[in-house]
Amino acid sequence: GAVVSQHPSRVICKSGTSVKIECRSLDFQATTMFWYRQFPKQSLMLMATSNEGSKATYEQGVEKDKFLINHASLTLSTLTVTSAHPEDSSFYICSATPIQGALETQYFGPGTRLLVL
Amino acid sequence: DAKTTQPTSMDCAEGRAANLPCNHSTISGNEYVYWYRQIHSQGPQYIIHGLKNNETNEMASLIITEDRKSSTLILPHATLRDTAVYYCIVRIIQGAQKLVFGQGTRLTINP
């Protein structure tokens, strides 16, 4: 149980285009999902907290107009990188916490590798 | 959330126990100790967590000192697949629930 999926697993896009990444909790419901970014040889950095039915909370230094987050249901959150540039190339990872059961544990998706040319 | 300190890297022989230390000297009474690991190019995987008692599950054991200022994650019989970056995180159960990752320990299991 407690499986989180991400789609796509990897994407290559041209500079200036927008990319949407989906995060789904497959066997549990999650009112809160988190989005992280990880550059090579670095640790995970939290970008934003996504709450179902409300606006996301962004960490300091993360542009909310560039990284659009939509949490439309208890099993789906999406991250859209708008007008992507090469410096946005990174490994994007989501996580979710079940609303029932193991409330204290976050489960992570497999990540999405974005390459902007 | 309290800051944690972990060694940058460690090596362990396959089949031996891997003991990963973590210092969290500023931990407060309502903060838990969590361990996650990240295998290369994958999302982090939850391992174990605890408050003050030692904990054991199918993956590992967590030993927390009596003063809670440090802990050790034990992988009893390390395999090559345990090669990963191991993150020790302390956080409260309630609240924002966000996890703040440090640099972790890069554990290499050698054949």
Side-chain angles (χ1 to χ4, degrees):
Chain A
V3 176
V4 177
S5 70
Q6 286 184 238
H7 178 77
S9 58
R10 59 180 62 197
V11 56
I12 301 174
C13 70
K14 293 182 178 179
S15 184
T17 60
S18 294
V19 175
K20 179 185 286 188
I21 302 170
E22 291 185 350
C23 176
R24 294 181 185 272
S25 55
L26 297 184
D27 51 2
F28 65 94
Q29 294 181 322
T31 54
T32 303
M33 293 183 174
F34 301 86
W35 287 96
Y36 295 81
R37 179 168 53 180
Q38 185 175 33
F39 293 107
K41 298 187 185 296
Q42 295 187 21
S43 187
L44 285 78
M45 290 181 54
L46 180 66
M47 299 175 66
T49 302
S50 169
N51 297 297
E52 188 265 340
S54 64
K55 291 183 179 181
T57 303
Y58 290 83
E59 295 298 301
Q60 189 173 8
V62 179
E63 300 175 57
K64 61 179 173 58
D65 294 329
K66 180 170 182 62
F67 299 100
L68 301 179
I69 292 173
N70 183 280
H71 194 152
S73 77
L74 291 174
T75 59
L76 173 64
S77 175
T78 61
L79 169 68
T80 301
V81 183
T82 62
S83 187
H85 289 93
E87 58 266 30
D88 298 322
S89 298
S90 188
F91 192 47
Y92 291 87
I93 307 168
C94 72
S95 70
T97 300
I99 60 175
Q100 294 179 344
L103 301 176
E104 67 276 16
T105 302
Q106 275 188 40
Y107 297 94
F108 286 80
T112 296
R113 191 162 300 280
L114 170 64
L115 176 61
V116 184
L117 302 177
Chain B
D1 291 341
K3 179 180 173 64
T4 61
T5 305
Q6 299 177 251
T8 302
S9 63
M10 293 182 63
D11 284 80
C12 179
E14 187 179 19
R16 304 296 294 270
N19 298 296
L20 293 93
C22 178
N23 286 322
H24 31 80
S25 59
T26 59
I27 192 170
S28 58
N30 63 345
E31 287 183 313
Y32 285 64
V33 180
Y34 280 77
W35 283 84
Y36 281 80
R37 73 179 181 184
Q38 186 179 26
I39 297 170
H40 183 62
S41 294
Q42 297 183 24
Q45 176 188 21
Y46 166 79
I47 301 174
I48 199 168
H49 75 281
L51 181 62
K52 55 182 179 180
N53 297 320
N54 298 337
E55 302 287 344
T56 296
N57 62 21
E58 65 278 3
M59 289 184 67
S61 294
L62 174 60
I63 308 299
I64 303 174
T65 58
E66 192 169 343
D67 62 8
R68 302 207 325 120
K69 292 185 177 183
S70 66
S71 60
T72 300
L73 178 75
I74 302 172
L75 307 179
H77 304 286
T79 70
L80 298 179
R81 288 178 294 179
D82 291 323
T83 292
V85 178
Y86 287 76
Y87 296 99
C88 169
I89 301 168
V90 295
R91 59 167 281 257
I92 59 174
I93 283 290
Q94 281 75 35
Q97 302 180 35
K98 61 182 180 182
L99 296 173
V100 179
F101 286 80
Q103 293 306 306
T105 295
R106 184 172 296 278
L107 175 67
T108 301
I109 306 301
N110 300 307

